[in-house]
Amino acid sequence: MSKGNEKKERKSNVGSSIKESYGSTSASFRRSLASFMEFWNQFKRSATGMTGLALIIILVIIAVAFPVIGNYNDIKNWNNATYIAEKGLPALAPPEWINLISSKKWPITKFVKPREMILVDLKNIRTNTSAALELLKYTNPQLYKYLSAYAKSIPKNQWKTNPILKNMRLGLSQTYGDRLEVIAFDIKYNYKADIPPTDVVIRWNQRPASPYLTQAGVLIIFVRPDGLAVPLAPLNYKTVTKLSESIIRNGTCGSYCAFLFNLNNYFKIINAGRSMDAWSYYGLAIYGKNQITSFEEFRLSNFVNQLSKETRINFKLGILKPFMEPFNLTYSPGFFYRFGKALFKKMNPQMLAGKGPSLKGTYHILVLELVAYNQTKGVPSQPPVTIKKAIFQGAYGILGTDRISASSPYGRDLWQGVLYGTRWALIVGLMASTISTLIGVIYGVISGYYGGKVDAVLNRLAQVIYSLPVLPLLILLSYYVGRSIWNVIVLLIVFGWVGIVFTVRSMALQLRENLYVEAARAVGVDHGRIIFRYIFPQVLPYTFASIALGVPGAILTEAGLSFLGLGDPNVVTWGKILHDAQAGGAVLSGAWWWVVPPGLAIAIVGLSFVLLGYALDTILNPRLRR
Amino acid sequence: MADGSGLGRTIANSILNAVIVLFFASALISGIFVAYGYKYLKGLAQQEIQQEIQALVRQGKPYNYTQIKMLVYEKYGLNEPAIYRVFKYVKDTFLLKFGAFPKSPDVTYPRGGDNAAQVVERALVPTIILFFTAEIIVILIGIYLGFQAARRAGSLYDKTISIIAMLSASLPMWWVGMLMLYIFAYKYKIFPLASIDVYSALGKLHREFAAVLAQGFLHNPGGYLHYYALYFETWLYYMALPLITIVLVLFGGWAYIIRNIVINVLTEDFVTVLRAKGLPERLVLYKHVFRAASPPLVTMSALGLVGALGGAIITEIVFQWPGMGYTYWIALNSGDQGVLVAQTYLLVFLFVIVITTLDFIYMLLDPRVRIGGRRT
């Protein structure tokens, strides 16, 4: 065949191809569908590509369906300290499945709602033996069983002279009022772990004090499964075990004859000129005539801390007594008494050091609300306190909790944060990568297609930006430009578009030599049309692979910026969670559950796109890159 | 001469590129600082004015507020118009004179420093020591593993390398650092939880051995050797964990890149010829293939360095390594903008220098550049 003929033939081919591209849309649609099917058949065979795609689909589902599968309120209130405190999740709680890998069993965080508590209203209990017995039902069921049987065997008129029963009453001096009402909340806690609960929190609502109140207070008593009742106030209180021993063995209360609950002493202590705030740490909160504490929460850890700071030794010993008396322990000033742990240990001499086996079984935490008033003046219309909830803290949720600040007792549910982070990781990664790749491709195509001076200038500019280290400039810019996730995305695009330019440019340099481009130019098709209709589509396959491969980089950079504290403060991202972990000393506290999941999530998203990208790369552009 | 002009043109080109990049960066940084840093500078100036007035009052001398203000403002360049200040900063930063950038007096850095220039200068050394040691190890491991993988392309060994490469491409290095810290410092207590004390530990060592060191090496070689052994051990103790982290995250990607380059070279004719001649495979690989693969390796290492330094800098924060990354962390958290700006430019400078140097090495290695061919 002669040269001329060959040229003619080519030209006619080009002509037809141009015509085709102007042809009916349905034909072009069918053609692109066919090429897509061809691609899909190849892609299906790529194990890595399918794995990546499957992972991405799952991630997209998580991101879209978050309001259904997650708790959107947690995310909206991620920085809302009031919401977090109200929710009351423990700080630095490990995930619940820690019991699968830990040799020591953790307790699971348990919330007890008011309706699960037993409420007993003991009206006019003052110096009333039957009411005191009723109270004993909750503090010491075994002793109650014995004593109520005993009381039944004795006629009521003899109760006042009976050596045992005359002491079974709540004492209150007339100065505090002539009537006393006790409302007892019985909070049940089933404890089966090896590690004591990290904290016990009891919350209540206060109402304004009634003017008729002469004295009111809240007293907390821990009743252990072994029958030992431990009041968190230094009452003139003999350990119930000894008392019951004495009664059962000797038939009298002997040397333990005293008021079971001497409230005179209790009110004397709480009125003893201590500041209200300091008192709030004890197991008692008080209301006087005109005073109401600002305190609406009891926290065992605070109680233990305050106890260790307590300077009045008798006071301290009054509380520690139940754990010291049986072993004849003496007080040592330098020792930190681990009262909170001892509460959940089997009786042993080392229990105040937090040692020994745990005491498993059902604990009763009694919250006694004591209301004293003078009947002659008026009756308070309602009790001043209603219990909101009790929290027994331990392991929590699927991924545990973080800690909102170094000194805070509160944490957030990390599962929600990690789950929600998927959404922003995908938005940031896909948006930054797609837009920057498209910009880079168009830039590269223009540079390569025009060639000459345009190319020289554009290429030089691209080289300059390419030689700039991205991270330091991103740090500086995000510091100044303002902490918004959209700014970060824009910055990622501004510095990210240039990576693809050089490859695309060299592709365009080749493509523009193609005859159909030459022909199109000869026919007079304008440059823009040539670029977007003939060159750009040829480069497009490479673009898809580049977009996929660019996603991990964008996500990693955003995470890095957030880790530095430059992220959007109002958007929960994995980088932000890790920043909080770093700033909050997660590693130093051993809170691996705070560190591992967000980073793993970043890695999974990155890996899915890398897998997809490599698969696309091998299928879509075997020719052009060589 | 074609030889000289080709090389000369390429060198000139890459130096020009470096100069343009640095100029662009310093203009960008200065522009941002002038646009956004005014309030910060004014705050510092106000603080200084107050101090000077207090000093004068203490001495019982009279003072003129306007005069002091004028002087201090002049020192901070607050009196000049913005455009002039941009020019001034560009001129200063471009030549690495950070005197124009003040440091907040209330912020202290791990290695001290009275002004921004000192702070970033002192932070530079630990970063270079850590990062370049890591890079050397990574490159050596990468070359070895990459060549092995290329030789056995398609084998399980080769696939493992690819998988490691893919995995580590999506891992945040600093996160791996947190895990390493948790395992080896918190859980097993082999390494320190914070590396910030490395210099004080070295100083202590130096003081302990002051008498020995004063004697001179020849008088007490044993003592000297002991000192150096301990010196090395101290570095290793504090640096090991960040070093291992960087190497762990980077080596896979490196090995994979090297494997790809080597596989490309292996398909070339000269390799077949060498093999046909009966040259031992090891010689073919490490002598001839290595030589042919070295120019692209250098290019890739430039890219690798650029990519890795960012991650490594954030990783420093996790270990509290007293380098540039940790300086960033402190400056960002305390809003010390002078140090932030100086640090950013120094880092840009470091990047550009490294890339330009590698460019030169590329030119020396690639015969096509030397004889005037065009780089593609």
Side-chain angles (χ1 to χ4, degrees):
Chain A
M1 213 185 271
S2 71
K3 255 190 180 174
N5 269 347
E6 209 180 305
K7 246 187 193 169
K8 240 185 213 164
E9 209 174 282
R10 268 198 201 162
K11 252 193 186 158
S12 69
N13 269 348
V14 169
S16 71
S17 88
I18 289 174
K19 230 183 238 162
E20 248 173 56
S21 64
Y22 282 99
S24 67
T25 41
S26 71
S28 81
F29 175 73
R30 235 178 294 132
R31 210 168 44 245
S32 52
L33 188 71
S35 68
F36 176 77
M37 286 317 288
E38 191 194 334
F39 155 78
W40 177 244
N41 283 332
Q42 273 187 49
F43 186 81
K44 265 196 299 194
R45 267 174 274 139
S46 154
T48 52
M50 288 304 279
T51 318
L53 189 67
L55 282 172
I56 290 169
I57 289 171
I58 293 171
L59 290 167
V60 169
I61 290 172
I62 291 173
V64 173
F66 179 80
V68 182
I69 50 179
N71 182 351
Y72 205 59
N73 278 334
D74 273 13
I75 297 300
K76 272 191 281 190
N77 294 296
W78 195 256
N79 296 321
N80 181 348
T82 328
Y83 174 88
I84 295 164
E86 183 61 37
K87 208 165 176 205
L89 296 189
L92 295 182
E96 285 178 13
W97 46 267
I98 191 163
N99 285 332
L100 298 175
I101 51 173
S102 165
S103 54
K104 281 190 168 176
K105 211 166 167 257
W106 276 78
I108 306 294
T109 300
K110 196 172 175 270
F111 293 86
V112 184
K113 294 188 190 103
R115 61 183 152 81
E116 295 165 46
M117 300 172 191
I118 300 162
L119 193 147
V120 200
D121 197 343
L122 303 170
K123 291 230 189 299
N124 191 20
I125 195 174
R126 184 173 170 273
T127 61
N128 180 338
T129 304
S130 54
L133 267 176
E134 189 73 3
L135 194 59
L136 194 63
K137 199 160 124 187
Y138 297 97
T139 51
N140 191 337
Q142 280 123 334
L143 185 60
Y144 168 76
K145 222 173 175 181
Y146 176 83
L147 278 178
S148 60
Y150 178 77
K152 265 180 205 159
S153 70
I154 289 165
K156 267 211 168 175
N157 54 8
Q158 287 174 31
W159 280 16
K160 276 188 180 169
T161 49
N162 185 288
I164 293 177
L165 292 182
K166 76 173 180 190
N167 289 313
M168 289 300 301
R169 59 195 186 187
L170 281 156
L172 182 71
S173 121
Q174 282 289 345
T175 52
Y176 293 116
D178 58 1
R179 283 181 85 85
L180 175 71
E181 196 176 330
V182 175
I183 300 158
F185 295 87
D186 177 14
I187 304 165
K188 249 194 267 175
Y189 175 51
N190 199 0
Y191 171 70
K192 274 181 274 170
D194 300 319
I195 295 168
T198 42
D199 212 342
V200 177
V201 182
I202 297 162
R203 289 185 174 167
W204 53 78
N205 279 327
Q206 279 190 20
R207 296 208 184 86
S210 160
Y212 308 121
L213 266 181
T214 49
Q215 190 75 55
V218 172
L219 168 64
I220 294 166
I221 302 170
F222 271 71
V223 184
R224 302 171 13 126
D226 62 1
L228 181 67
V230 187
L232 302 191
L235 300 182
N236 183 9
Y237 173 86
K238 296 291 172 185
T239 54
V240 180
T241 9
K242 289 248 169 156
L243 183 67
S244 63
E245 256 174 36
S246 172
I247 291 169
I248 291 163
R249 207 176 292 151
N250 314 323
T252 67
C253 49
S255 63
Y256 297 101
C257 282
F259 288 129
L260 188 59
F261 300 99
N262 186 341
L263 294 169
N264 287 325
N265 218 353
Y266 170 63
F267 284 130
K268 214 192 283 170
I269 290 163
I270 59 183
N271 284 331
R274 278 235 149 189
S275 84
M276 295 306 239
D277 279 346
W279 274 111
S280 67
Y281 290 108
Y282 292 106
L284 32 96
I286 52 158
Y287 320 88
K289 272 179 210 149
N290 303 310
Q291 53 195 186
I292 294 181
T293 58
S294 59
F295 157 71
E296 299 196 326
E297 178 183 276
F298 163 77
R299 194 171 269 278
L300 186 59
S301 58
N302 282 347
F303 177 79
V304 175
N305 282 339
Q306 282 294 312
L307 192 65
S308 72
K309 286 180 206 153
E310 181 57 61
T311 47
R312 292 169 299 171
I313 292 170
N314 281 338
F315 190 105
K316 208 166 174 175
L317 285 175
I319 290 166
L320 296 171
K321 197 160 45 179
F323 300 134
M324 294 180 78
E325 242 178 27
F327 309 108
N328 294 322
L329 295 175
T330 47
Y331 177 73
S332 64
F335 186 75
F336 185 79
Y337 287 96
R338 297 185 186 279
F339 182 75
K341 284 188 176 167
L343 275 175
F344 296 92
K345 297 282 177 197
K346 272 187 186 151
M347 289 304 276
N348 76 79
Q350 289 275 294
M351 64 196 302
L352 277 168
K355 287 175 187 157
S358 65
L359 178 67
K360 294 169 191 179
T362 307
Y363 286 71
H364 292 266
I365 288 83
L366 291 175
V367 183
L368 304 183
E369 201 180 312
L370 312 163
V371 186
Y373 54 94
N374 280 321
Q375 209 178 5
T376 45
K377 287 184 184 158
V379 181
S381 54
Q382 54 186 5
V385 161
T386 43
I387 302 241
K388 262 198 291 192
K389 62 169 133 180
I391 310 163
F392 297 89
Q393 299 187 342
Y396 178 83
I398 300 169
L399 289 183
T401 64
D402 64 357
R403 182 168 59 186
I404 55 172
S405 71
S407 56
S408 171
Y410 301 116
R412 289 170 290 217
D413 185 357
L414 280 169
W415 170 245
Q416 303 297 340
V418 171
L419 212 57
Y420 182 76
T422 316
R423 191 180 270 196
W424 281 104
L426 290 181
I427 292 175
V428 170
L430 282 173
M431 239 175 127
S433 182
T434 309
I435 298 176
S436 59
T437 306
L438 285 179
I439 293 175
V441 166
I442 293 168
Y443 188 98
V445 166
I446 290 173
S447 175
Y449 173 76
Y450 282 103
K453 272 180 193 157
V454 177
D455 181 40
V457 172
L458 289 183
N459 200 32
R460 171 69 76 188
L461 180 66
Q463 256 176 18
V464 166
I465 294 175
Y466 193 60
S467 311
L468 283 171
V470 178
L471 192 78
L473 292 174
L474 274 182
I475 290 172
L476 193 73
L477 283 165
S478 8
Y479 181 82
Y480 280 119
V481 170
R483 316 278 155 79
S484 142
I485 190 100
W486 301 109
N487 285 344
V488 173
I489 294 175
V490 168
L491 287 174
L492 284 172
I493 294 168
V494 167
F495 287 98
W497 60 272
V498 82
I500 195 177
V501 164
F502 306 105
T503 325
V504 171
R505 172 181 164 267
S506 61
M507 283 181 193
L509 278 173
Q510 275 176 39
L511 287 170
R512 72 172 189 158
E513 305 298 326
N514 277 355
L515 272 176
Y516 62 86
V517 177
E518 226 171 89
R521 240 182 308 188
V523 174
V525 182
D526 61 84
H527 292 311
R529 196 172 185 91
I530 293 174
I531 287 173
F532 283 100
R533 279 214 78 125
Y534 304 123
I535 297 183
F536 190 65
Q538 300 282 328
V539 188
L540 209 58
Y542 176 62
T543 312
F544 286 124
S546 286
I547 288 173
L549 289 172
V551 170
I555 292 175
L556 281 184
T557 314
E558 191 279 330
L561 287 177
S562 294
F563 181 74
L564 287 168
L566 294 168
D568 194 324
N570 298 317
V571 173
V572 185
T573 63
W574 294 327
K576 181 179 153 58
I577 295 174
L578 286 168
H579 166 81
D580 294 346
Q582 173 70 16
V587 170
L588 306 183
S589 323
W592 51 266
W593 55 88
W594 193 358
V595 179
V596 175
L600 213 56
I602 294 174
I604 290 171
V605 174
L607 188 67
S608 342
F609 280 97
V610 169
L611 290 174
L612 180 75
Y614 274 124
L616 289 179
D617 205 27
T618 33
I619 297 167
L620 290 177
N621 68 99
R623 296 149 297 153
L624 282 166
R625 280 176 97 199
R626 294 280 145 90
Chain B
M1 227 165 78
D3 188 3
S5 69
L7 188 59
R9 201 176 58 224
T10 329
I11 288 175
N13 193 34
S14 79
I15 289 177
L16 179 71
N17 203 51
V19 169
I20 294 175
V21 170
L22 287 180
F23 180 77
F24 186 76
S26 60
L28 185 68
I29 291 167
S30 308
I32 291 168
F33 187 61
V34 169
Y36 292 98
Y38 191 75
K39 220 165 136 190
Y40 160 78
L41 282 180
K42 219 170 160 182
L44 285 185
Q46 213 58 44
Q47 211 172 332
E48 199 170 317
I49 292 168
Q50 288 303 324
Q51 273 172 3
E52 280 193 22
I53 289 177
Q54 270 167 22
L56 286 174
V57 168
R58 229 177 290 125
Q59 289 166 14
K61 286 179 189 163
Y63 64 86
N64 181 344
Y65 180 80
T66 345
Q67 199 185 343
I68 295 171
K69 191 181 162 185
M70 275 292 286
L71 281 171
V72 173
Y73 269 41
E74 200 171 313
K75 184 181 152 199
Y76 284 101
L78 287 167
N79 289 330
E80 281 110 18
I83 190 77
Y84 177 82
R85 290 171 55 219
V86 173
F87 274 123
K88 197 179 125 232
Y89 284 135
V90 168
K91 201 180 78 195
D92 284 353
T93 44
F94 189 73
L95 300 169
L96 288 176
K97 284 185 202 151
F98 298 124
F101 298 110
K103 166 189 166 296
S104 294
D106 320 324
V107 188
T108 46
Y109 289 88
R111 299 194 64 200
D114 300 326
N115 52 49
Q118 269 179 17
V119 169
V120 297
E121 224 169 75
R122 288 180 191 176
L124 179 67
V125 180
T127 294
I128 288 184
I129 291 174
L130 171 63
F131 185 66
F132 284 89
T133 316
E135 274 300 322
I136 289 166
I137 296 173
V138 166
I139 289 171
L140 290 178
I141 295 178
I143 287 174
Y144 178 76
L145 294 179
F147 270 78
Q148 294 300 318
R151 239 170 95 181
R152 295 178 235 161
S155 67
L156 184 69
Y157 181 91
D158 182 32
K159 277 180 188 151
T160 315
I161 295 278
S162 316
I163 290 169
I164 293 173
M166 279 190 195
L167 270 176
S168 50
S170 28
L171 287 179
M173 193 195 280
W174 39 273
W175 174 70
V176 177
M178 289 172 102
L179 296 188
M180 299 288 282
L181 202 65
Y182 175 78
I183 296 168
F184 294 106
Y186 176 80
K187 197 102 194 174
Y188 294 108
K189 301 184 171 49
I190 304 170
F191 295 112
L193 276 164
S195 300
I196 195 164
D197 303 323
V198 60
Y199 278 96
S200 61
L202 287 174
K204 204 176 140 213
L205 189 71
H206 191 87
R207 278 196 299 283
E208 273 171 27
F209 279 80
V212 177
L213 294 171
Q215 288 170 347
F217 179 73
L218 288 175
H219 290 95
N220 190 354
Y224 253 76
L225 287 179
H226 188 206
Y227 170 75
Y228 283 117
L230 287 177
Y231 186 85
F232 184 69
E233 196 193 308
T234 310
W235 270 113
L236 209 62
Y237 177 65
Y238 286 102
M239 199 169 79
L241 220 43
L243 194 69
I244 294 170
T245 304
I246 298 177
V247 171
L248 207 62
V249 176
L250 293 184
F251 88 95
W254 258 95
Y256 186 71
I257 289 168
I258 291 168
R259 164 206 178 266
N260 285 350
I261 293 170
V262 173
I263 282 182
N264 266 336
V265 177
L266 281 176
T267 57
E268 281 182 32
D269 295 340
F270 80 93
V271 180
T272 323
V273 172
L274 287 173
R275 279 179 179 159
K277 268 164 64 181
L279 208 65
E281 185 65 19
R282 196 167 355 137
L283 269 183
V284 174
L285 271 183
Y286 289 106
K287 195 174 170 199
H288 298 275
V289 173
F290 188 74
R291 181 72 188 80
S294 49
L297 274 184
V298 170
T299 317
M300 291 316 293
S301 68
L303 298 181
L305 280 173
V306 170
L309 190 53
I313 275 181
I314 304 180
T315 309
E316 277 187 1
I317 295 165
V318 174
F319 296 102
Q320 300 187 19
W321 182 255
M324 300 166 106
Y326 194 53
T327 307
Y328 256 131
W329 176 260
I330 297 171
L332 284 170
N333 282 334
S334 54
D336 194 356
Q337 299 176 16
V339 172
L340 192 66
V341 168
Q343 186 66 86
T344 303
Y345 184 73
L346 186 65
L347 207 48
V348 172
F349 187 81
L350 193 68
F351 268 84
V352 174
I353 293 299
V354 169
I355 291 177
T356 314
T357 315
L358 285 169
D359 244 11
F360 289 147
I361 297 175
Y362 179 95
M363 284 166 218
L364 296 176
L365 286 173
D366 194 341
R368 280 170 300 181
V369 179
R370 264 180 309 181
I371 60 165
R374 276 198 58 155
R375 237 177 110 182
T376 47

